[in-house]
Amino acid sequence: QLVRSTARMTVAARLRQVWPVALVALFVAVLAAVVYSEGHREGGDKRGAWRAVSWLIGWLYFFAWSLSFYPQLLLNYERKSTEGLSYNFVWLNLLGFVSYSIFNVAFFSSERVRESYRIANDGEDNLVRANDVFFALHAATVTAVTLVQMYFCGYKRSRGPLVWLSVRVFVAVSILAAAVYLVAVFARGNELWVKDGSGNFWTMLSWLYFVSYIKLVVSFCKYLPQVWLNYTRKSTHGWSLTNVLLDFTGGFLSFVQLFIDASLESDWSGVFGDPVKLGLSLLSLGFDVVFLVQHFVLYPPSSQGYDNLDVEEQSSSLTE
């Protein structure tokens, strides 16, 4: 029975290795079809084709980034353990995605925010899209579910302090600072929204940027505990590689979409007008490369007595 179960897991692991290639092939096929149809339809032009490409890339990075949360959830469930997953990483992730959700929902759904942005940026529209909003809300929700796994499902945990004091202080100070800033904006009695291009610090638009910078800082800080945990354990055991590959894909596609949109609008200031999206893309790409180097070069699974991380994790849960 154990041999059959392990064999099934091996087949499943091989499928997981194949499906990213299939996803890339599907992306290329759909992209070619969209560009061809937009470029050759009656009255079509290159700008229309590139807008279609941007739309497609936007939803593809949304799905890649959104799916990247589930391999770790499934790995935790199959192992009945959260060993190898940094609790600091998850807590920082939740703070970041709640902040990102506030920023994206406001910029996408509020006409007053969009008008304030146009006034402050020479009439240009912001580049927040529907897929940005859905991604942020979905990410915050799934991260919260991961925390439920970690604290309320009885899973095996790592020994020692689970959350560093520095992370606790950072989370508390970030929430307090955002709350105090918001109260100050209202208490000053100034106009809450930008009425000219002066860039007044005490406006709701400035507060939303402040919240978005929390996400940007978190995006840098949150990866460091996981990198350190892998380093101290000399292993990526318990850290889903599929998560890393999907995150890398999402970061790359988000980066491409941002530059396509800026090119179409002939306004490269739009790239820097959404510093969180640009920063997220670059940080995701950079740290994912670090994780890949850790997994394949520094601490390869084969050097630790197993060939595939996910297979080993799943097989161990059968023998416990």
Side-chain angles (χ1 to χ4, degrees), residues 23 59-69 246-247 249-250 253:
L23 183 62
W59 283 106
L60 282 171
Y61 98 68
F62 161 72
F63 283 116
W65 261 349
S66 297
L67 288 173
S68 71
F69 292 91
L246 286 169
D247 190 58
T249 302
L253 292 177

Side-chain angles (χ1 to χ4, degrees), residues 30-169:
V30 173
L31 183 61
V34 170
V35 172
Y36 180 84
S37 62
E38 289 291 334
H40 289 78
R41 69 178 183 176
E42 185 176 354
D45 57 27
K46 291 184 178 180
R47 288 177 62 85
W50 279 110
R51 290 187 189 281
V53 171
S54 173
W55 176 87
L56 178 61
I57 288 177
W59 283 106
L60 282 171
Y61 98 68
F62 161 72
F63 283 116
W65 261 349
S66 297
L67 288 173
S68 71
F69 292 91
Y70 288 97
Q72 190 66 55
L73 274 177
L74 295 174
L75 190 58
N76 296 342
Y77 173 76
E78 290 165 348
R79 298 168 62 230
K80 298 297 185 290
S81 170
T82 56
E83 285 187 302
L85 174 62
S86 170
Y87 279 49
N88 300 291
F89 170 80
V90 180
W91 273 110
L92 290 171
N93 231 8
L94 183 63
L95 172 65
F97 283 122
V98 169
S99 301
Y100 196 38
S101 296
I102 293 172
F103 176 84
N104 279 339
V105 169
F107 268 71
F108 182 77
S109 63
S110 173
E111 179 55 38
R112 297 188 72 181
V113 173
R114 293 197 297 271
E115 179 60 26
S116 296
Y117 180 90
R118 284 192 287 268
I119 292 172
N121 291 274
D122 300 323
E124 299 294 338
D125 287 320
N126 73 80
L127 299 179
V128 175
R129 301 291 184 256
N131 50 276
D132 298 317
V133 177
F134 293 149
F135 164 71
L137 293 173
H138 172 266
T141 301
V142 179
T143 303
V145 172
T146 304
L147 279 175
V148 171
Q149 280 188 327
M150 296 161 70
Y151 288 99
F152 301 107
C153 292
Y155 291 174
K156 185 179 179 181
R157 305 178 185 179
S158 299
R159 298 182 181 88
L162 297 177
V163 183
W164 298 342
L165 177 61
S166 58
V167 171
R168 297 178 186 178
V169 171

